[in-house]
Structure formats: C-alpha cells, structure tokens
Amino acid sequence: MTDEVPRILTVQRAAHSLATPAQRGEVEAWADSPVALPFGPFDPNEHRTLELGLHNWVEQQTGLDLGYVEQLYTFGDRYRDPREQAGGPRLVSVGYIALVRQVPLSGAGEAEWRNWYDFFPWEDWREGRPAIVDQAIRPRLQNWIGRIGDDDERQTYQERLSIAFGAQSAPWDFERVLERYELLYEAEMIGEALRDAQIRAAISGRPAPQADAEMQATAELLGTPMALDNRRVLATALGRIRGKLKYRPVVFDLLPPTFTLLQLQRVVEALGGVRLHKQNFRRLVINGGLVEPTGKHDSQSRGRPAELFRLRREVLSERPASGVGLPAARIIG
Amino acid sequence: MTDEVPRILTVQRAAHSLATPAQRGEVEAWADSPVALPFGPFDPNEHRTLELGLHNWVEQQTGLDLGYVEQLYTFGDRYRDPREQAGGPRLVSVGYIALVRQVPLSGAGEAEWRNWYDFFPWEDWREGRPAIVDQAIRPRLQNWIGRIGDDDERQTYQERLSIAFGAQSAPWDFERVLERYELLYEAEMIGEALRDAQIRAAISGRPAPQADAEMQATAELLGTPMALDNRRVLATALGRIRGKLKYRPVVFDLLPPTFTLLQLQRVVEALGGVRLHKQNFRRLVINGGLVEPTGKHDSQSRGRPAELFRLRREVLSERPASGVGLPAARIIG
DNA sequence: TTAGATATACTCAATTTGAGCATATTTCTT
DNA sequence: AAGAAATATGCTCAAATTGAGTATATCTAA
C-alpha cells in the first residue's frame, strides 16, 4: 500500500504463449494487454516445492524477497489462453498470494506497483457506493439478462445477479469479487471478453464479431484489462483476502513493525473497500488482543500524536476469532 | 455420514507409481497402505476443466455422481511419492472436496466408506478430550522436541506444539488439523513417516532405519495409514471443512431435504468433533434464518416427535454471517 | 490565539451469547 | 395403567459484544 491505495505487483507480459509461432504472428495483432501478474514456470528439477519455485522466479522478475505466501487456487480450464490449441498442451497455473510492504523494484520483469482498484473500479466503496454500479453495470447486466431466451436460464442469471451485485433482499457482499467479475465477463462487458472473442474468431477462421463503440466504452469504464485470465485470478485473490481479513490477522504484513491504529484501519479499509467506524475499530483490535501499545508516539501527524502499536505475537497461537456462522454455537465441555 | 460417524470415500490403491518397474519390485515390499483417496489422472484432451475431469473418474471408480465440489489445495512437493526419482517427473495433485450423502457404491475402484476419525483419532472430542492426547501424543512430542539440539529450532518446535495441540495460553483449535498431523509426521509418530523413511533408505541404498516396537505401537495408536501423502491431504480437507462450517451453510449436502434440528446438530458435531449446546444451537439456526419449519414431524424417534425443517434457499444469496475477526467492525455508510 | 485536525476516553442502548430451568409429548418398563 | 426415560421445545436471565454517539485531549497551521 501507498497512502490509502492498495497495490498489486504487475510485470510486463513476456512474449510467451502456447500458440505456435505461425498462429502467434496472426493473433498477436489482437493486442493482448501487457499488464500481467508475476508468473513463471515450475521446474521440478530445480524446485523442491511449488512454493520454492515461486520465491525463485519472483525474486528474478521483481527483485522481491517474499515472506509468507499462501496458495490461492489452481486454474486449469481450457482456453485460459485463447490461443491454446485443441488437442495441445494445457496451461495450468497454481496461484499464490503474498502480502508485502511496498519496496523499490528491480529485476528482469519491468515490475510495477498498480492500484488494484484500477482493475475493479466497482469494488471500492470507501467514498460511498461507486456511481458506476448503478449507472453502467446494473442496467447493462439487467438488459443482457433480459435478452436471454430460455426462461430457466434467465432465472438463473437473475439470481446470480442478485447474489453478486446485491438486491433488496441481499446486500452487497464484499467478498463476492469473483462472482461479480465472472458475470461481467460473461456479459461481455469486460475488455478481456471482447478480446477473447476476437481471438477465438481469428483462430477458428470465423468472421470477427464486431464490438460496437458502446461496448468498447463500457469495457473502458470497467477497468484496465490484463493478460490472459490474469484479472480473473486477481479477482479470486481479492475475494480471498477480504474473506481472510475477518478471521485472521493478515494485514500486518503490509504495515511497518509499529504503526498507529489509524494506519492499521486504513489498510483494512483499503483491502475491504469500505469505511469503518473509528472508535469501534480501536476497541475491537485492542480488546481483541490483536495489538499492544509500545508507549511511543507518532510525531508526523497533523493533530494529536497517535500512539504506536505493535502486533501481539501471541495472537498467532491464540484462537483469533471464532466467526459467527454455524457453530459459534457454544462448545460444551 | 451414517448415524454419528462422518465418513470419507476411499478406494483401493491401484498399482500406480512413478518409480521404474525395477524399483517398484524392490520397494513394493514396504507395504504401502492400500487405503487411498479417490484419485485419477487429468487428461487435457478429454476434459475441458479440472473439475469435469474429477467428476468423470470419480464416477468411474465409485459410481458416484458428485454435486457441488470445491477445490482444496494443490500438492506439488518433491517426494510426495517417496519412490519418485531425483530428476524424474513430479507428481502434482489438485485436491477437491465434495460433500455427498452416503449412497451405495459401485465402480472399478473397490470404493468404501470409512470413519474419518480412524485416520485422526485425536480429532474427535465429542466424548470429551481423547485420552490419547495426554497419554501418548503430548509426552512423546515433548520428548522429541526436548532432544533437539539447536536452541532456536527447539524453541520454534515448542511454539508449534503449543499452537497445534494447545497450551495454557492457547486452547485446542479444532481447525488446525493439518498442523497437528504435520508435527506428528515430523516426529515420526505416524505410520507413513516410518514407511517413507524405509522407502527412502531402500532407494538410496542406505541401511534401513530400525523402527523399534514402541514406535510401531505408537504409530498404530495414531490411526490407519494411507497411501502416499493421502492422509496429509485428508487432514487439509478436514481443517478446511471445519473452517467453512463457521460461516457457510455447508453441511446441508450431507442431510436429506428435510431433517430435524437434532440431525443437523449431529452432523455439525461430527464434522467439528465437538458437542454443542442444544437449545442455543436451535436458536442460532432458526433465528439466523438458516432453516425454516415444514410443519411436518418426524415419527421415528424415541421421545416427543421433532419437527422437520428444510434449508432456506434464500440463505445462499444472503450474507451468511459476518465473522468476528477484524472488520466485523461496523461498516459505515 | 484560535481554528482545524486528529487521537482517545467514555457512555448507553440494542443485540447476541452462554447457561440453564421448565414444560410438552412421546415410547418403554413394570 | 402408571411411572420412568427420552426427546423436543419454550423461556429466562445475566454477561458480553456491538452500534452509534458525545466529550475531551493534544497536536499543527494560520
């Protein structure tokens, strides 16, 4: 994070592809986005574990020394790379999440820190409900669903819309980042969807579908495209992090060893995409035993100096919180 | 589940291995357990997605038609199969969880339902704290850690012990199934650890380490071994399910369409490995809007007939629960 | 010197949780 | 037929947590 902006590390998409060189020439014209998540091959001879391989090429591409990482998801669908050949090899990617403090970058990948809400402008509610939701997303999705012929199918999509983007009955669920992205992709409102349709057409020799100016404009409203399905991967990651926020002390990797409570709150807010009630937030983290005061004070700020806190190491071994769902139900014994 | 026993589906381990036939002959003597999780190859030509591949071979091996499945984790460490060759191919497995009602089995895999606490006897606290924890596990682990020479390393293991198996400061955390399994494996208290040590020795030509009678006895106390690292995979799954239990309505796949609240409670208890307070559990699921009454009653039971409930479909779209960790902190706006 | 900004303390009602008691409706035993 | 045992369900009540403020403290900038 810098200031209040949560950032992800991107690299320039190297010219790698599963397609044959011939196809590549033909298809490369459909400008794939050069913005990619850091990625690299897994070499079973070199690396004892997937995680060690990860550390290795992240270091090479970005100069970054990762600490704690966590496996995210394994992506193996056909045509993740739309240039993939039927009958050819499959691109299977094992995604990992690492939370690190922002540091200067080096390495071979032309790495860059980017505001992750550039990729999901509808996910940041810190300044209130984003206008884009009601002005562009909902009406267009509703329109697209309305045009579905089959009754059952339309019904299903209608329900997915309510779940993903909320409704009277269901509030906006900040964790459903992936569901939202997938709906937008299926409705071809996302840049990648237009691009992939073009590529598929080019490869199969069909005439390229025409994306009209309005579709293009919508796609531009809906954030920066990424290479391949990287934005989908990123959506999965954001959802996962938001979920974890609730029950694991996960944000401290993004903070210096000592920090003020407002700094902590700002990080949580940035990841969650919401504003929190300040006094109650303090009470929660202090009474919850997550942090302990250092006695020192921050001098840089505008008003009354804030006390510096540190993470209570013991938290990692104590039960961090017991959630509210099913068996928060009292355990007997 | 049958009655109060949670079960997993196992198959007979087919004679598959990454080792060469020559090595296989040599090593097959170290009787690998025939108890395995259902598994199968992924064929990118056949299957559009990993998940479709999964459905396919599960059907073949067990005759089971899976509904909802969820990706668990991808396992790619070297020597997951201890017969693996240095420089040879790597066995990478993408694990999935499916929750299904118990049905009769068919298929080619000689599938069987087995009590999952047969594999983790220390995880079932429904009849109180299992004696095995204090009589066998803790003292032996403590002893093993005590013999570690390096001070820092011993300290680290001591902390892992507290986190995994609890201590004065930290209570037993029912979700840390994997941490517990890994400690036991590292301490060579688990059957698989003894077996893998033997196999590694045989392959490298070193003299086989002698597991004395006491180690053998301990290993037998600590549950049924499985093929390869399947028990580790299973530990990961159990931990994941227990985590999900808290904030997602995940148990209903294990119940008939209508059920009594006690049935529901028994399922939750079986997965969680704990007993719950009955009246409060009712209040939680009813007031939480998870279930709704059908008006019908169960007639089979001993005492007063229990009302039959069903899952409220709407729950799937509503916020299921908002957890307690960090930003249960009130959202402003 | 004061306005503005920020931090922190404290209050109070509403809600949720933990623990239990009481009552209702069955079947089983004698 | 009369309990006894088992199960389901309703209800209470104190303790803890949460939601939403108000009040006060301590700094910087003008």
Side-chain angles (χ1 to χ4, degrees):
Chain A
M1 291 202 37
T2 33
D3 307 311
E4 311 230 344
V5 182
R7 295 182 188 276
I8 57 156
L9 187 57
T10 62
V11 296
Q12 289 288 105
R13 171 157 162 58
H16 95 138
S17 157
L18 289 180
T20 59
Q23 273 190 326
R24 187 181 303 150
E26 176 185 4
V27 163
E28 212 74 347
W30 305 114
D32 190 6
S33 168
V35 182
L37 297 174
F39 65 95
F42 171 59
D43 180 349
N45 290 323
E46 286 274 327
H47 304 301
R48 193 163 49 77
T49 69
L50 296 170
E51 211 174 295
L52 288 172
L54 169 81
H55 276 82
N56 206 281
W57 56 251
V58 167
E59 155 73 31
Q60 277 179 13
Q61 285 183 33
T62 68
L64 204 60
D65 183 22
L66 298 180
Y68 172 76
V69 301
E70 177 190 310
Q71 195 179 291
L72 172 64
Y73 196 79
T74 296
F75 303 85
D77 286 7
R78 182 173 288 168
Y79 302 128
R80 290 182 52 229
D81 184 338
R83 277 150 299 208
E84 196 177 297
Q85 310 237 41
R90 181 73 62 85
L91 173 65
V92 174
S93 306
V94 184
Y96 280 81
I97 305 180
L99 297 178
V100 295
R101 279 205 294 285
Q102 185 172 344
V103 292
L105 300 170
S106 61
E110 304 188 53
E112 223 178 318
W113 293 107
R114 286 167 180 265
N115 183 341
W116 75 13
Y117 291 122
D118 284 353
F119 304 98
F120 308 104
W122 57 89
E123 295 290 349
D124 187 0
W125 287 50
R126 285 175 297 172
E127 310 299 315
R129 186 180 176 92
I132 196 179
V133 173
D134 298 310
Q135 281 170 20
I137 295 177
R138 274 194 152 283
R140 274 164 229 255
L141 274 178
Q142 194 59 71
N143 184 298
W144 177 72
I145 292 175
R147 290 201 311 272
I148 294 174
D150 182 70
D151 276 5
D152 278 355
E153 198 189 342
R154 195 175 53 251
Q155 181 60 36
T156 306
Y157 273 99
Q158 195 66 56
E159 196 165 302
R160 282 180 60 193
L161 176 61
S162 301
I163 293 177
F165 288 91
Q168 300 80 344
S169 62
W172 181 281
D173 181 342
F174 286 91
E175 289 178 40
R176 300 194 191 269
V177 184
L178 181 61
E179 277 107 314
R180 285 188 280 274
Y181 179 78
E182 287 189 327
L183 263 184
L184 294 172
Y185 184 97
E186 287 186 56
E188 298 202 307
M189 292 168 59
I190 287 285
E192 284 89 331
L194 303 178
R195 177 201 66 195
D196 293 348
Q198 300 268 349
I199 295 178
R200 277 196 305 271
I203 287 180
S204 67
R206 290 193 311 268
Q210 278 312 316
D212 59 35
E214 199 202 324
M215 289 173 79
Q216 293 287 359
T218 303
E220 264 166 55
L221 266 181
L222 295 189
T224 311
M226 297 182 92
L228 303 184
D229 64 344
N230 282 193
R231 209 159 152 200
R232 190 173 188 281
V233 175
L234 186 56
T236 311
L238 180 46
R240 177 76 68 85
I241 289 178
R242 284 186 172 176
K244 279 232 150 179
L245 223 43
K246 287 222 196 62
Y247 56 98
R248 298 279 156 171
V250 86
V251 291
F252 297 96
D253 289 326
L254 299 179
L255 287 164
T258 70
F259 45 81
T260 70
L261 294 184
L262 187 59
Q263 281 180 297
L264 174 60
Q265 183 179 342
R266 290 302 181 224
V267 174
V268 172
E269 288 176 340
L271 303 190
V274 293
R275 287 264 168 247
L276 303 173
H277 184 283
K278 190 168 172 179
Q279 296 92 318
N280 290 348
F281 181 84
R282 307 184 104 252
R283 182 172 61 186
L284 192 70
V285 294
I286 294 177
N287 294 357
L290 270 178
V291 299
E292 61 191 0
T294 65
K296 298 196 172 141
H297 288 263
D298 175 43
S299 47
Q300 307 308 329
S301 70
R302 191 91 160 56
R304 173 173 172 177
E307 182 160 13
L308 290 167
F309 288 75
R310 73 169 76 87
L311 172 63
R312 280 186 62 229
R313 282 267 306 138
E314 304 87 324
V315 157
L316 302 174
S317 60
E318 293 164 3
R319 205 69 267 301
S322 41
V324 168
L326 262 186
R330 164 88 185 123
I331 293 170
I332 293 178
Chain B
M1 291 200 39
T2 33
D3 306 313
E4 311 231 341
V5 183
R7 295 182 188 277
I8 57 157
L9 186 58
T10 62
V11 296
Q12 290 288 105
R13 172 157 161 59
H16 95 136
S17 157
L18 288 180
T20 60
Q23 273 189 327
R24 187 181 302 147
E26 175 185 3
V27 165
E28 211 74 349
W30 304 115
D32 190 8
S33 168
V35 182
L37 296 174
F39 65 96
F42 170 60
D43 180 348
N45 290 323
E46 286 274 327
H47 304 301
R48 193 162 50 77
T49 68
L50 296 172
E51 211 175 294
L52 288 173
L54 169 81
H55 276 81
N56 207 282
W57 56 250
V58 166
E59 156 72 32
Q60 277 180 11
Q61 284 183 34
T62 68
L64 204 59
D65 184 22
L66 298 181
Y68 173 76
V69 301
E70 178 190 310
Q71 195 179 290
L72 172 63
Y73 196 79
T74 296
F75 303 86
D77 286 5
R78 183 173 287 166
Y79 302 129
R80 291 182 52 228
D81 184 337
R83 278 149 297 206
E84 196 177 297
Q85 311 238 39
R90 181 74 60 86
L91 173 65
V92 173
S93 306
V94 183
Y96 280 81
I97 305 180
L99 297 178
V100 295
R101 279 205 293 285
Q102 185 171 345
V103 292
L105 301 170
S106 62
E110 304 188 52
E112 223 177 318
W113 293 106
R114 286 168 180 265
N115 184 343
W116 74 14
Y117 291 121
D118 284 353
F119 304 99
F120 308 104
W122 57 88
E123 295 290 349
D124 187 0
W125 288 49
R126 285 175 296 172
E127 309 300 316
R129 187 180 175 93
I132 196 180
V133 173
D134 298 309
Q135 281 170 20
I137 293 178
R138 275 194 152 282
R140 275 163 228 254
L141 274 178
Q142 193 58 70
N143 184 297
W144 176 72
I145 292 176
R147 290 201 310 273
I148 294 175
D150 182 70
D151 276 5
D152 278 355
E153 198 189 341
R154 194 175 55 252
Q155 180 59 37
T156 306
Y157 273 100
Q158 195 66 56
E159 197 165 300
R160 281 181 61 193
L161 176 61
S162 301
I163 293 177
F165 288 91
Q168 301 79 345
S169 63
W172 181 280
D173 181 342
F174 287 91
E175 289 178 39
R176 299 195 190 269
V177 184
L178 181 61
E179 279 106 315
R180 285 188 280 274
Y181 179 78
E182 287 190 327
L183 263 185
L184 294 171
Y185 184 97
E186 288 186 56
E188 298 203 306
M189 291 168 58
I190 288 283
E192 284 90 332
L194 303 179
R195 177 201 66 193
D196 294 348
Q198 301 267 349
I199 295 178
R200 277 195 305 271
I203 287 180
S204 68
R206 291 192 312 268
Q210 278 312 317
D212 58 36
E214 201 202 324
M215 289 172 79
Q216 292 287 0
T218 304
E220 264 168 54
L221 264 181
L222 295 189
T224 311
M226 297 183 92
L228 303 185
D229 64 343
N230 281 192
R231 209 157 151 202
R232 188 172 188 283
V233 175
L234 187 55
T236 310
L238 180 46
R240 177 75 68 86
I241 289 178
R242 284 185 172 176
K244 279 232 150 180
L245 222 43
K246 288 222 197 63
Y247 56 98
R248 298 279 157 171
V250 86
V251 291
F252 297 95
D253 289 325
L254 299 179
L255 286 164
T258 70
F259 45 82
T260 70
L261 294 184
L262 186 60
Q263 281 180 296
L264 174 60
Q265 183 178 343
R266 291 302 182 224
V267 174
V268 171
E269 289 175 338
L271 303 190
V274 294
R275 286 264 168 247
L276 303 172
H277 183 285
K278 191 168 171 178
Q279 295 93 318
N280 291 349
F281 181 84
R282 307 183 106 252
R283 182 173 61 187
L284 193 70
V285 295
I286 295 177
N287 294 357
L290 271 177
V291 299
E292 61 192 0
T294 64
K296 299 195 173 141
H297 289 262
D298 175 41
S299 47
Q300 307 307 330
S301 69
R302 189 91 160 57
R304 173 173 172 176
E307 183 160 13
L308 289 165
F309 288 76
R310 74 169 75 89
L311 171 64
R312 279 187 63 230
R313 281 268 307 141
E314 303 88 323
V315 157
L316 301 174
S317 60
E318 292 164 4
R319 207 66 269 301
S322 43
V324 167
L326 261 186
R330 165 86 187 125
I331 293 170
I332 293 178

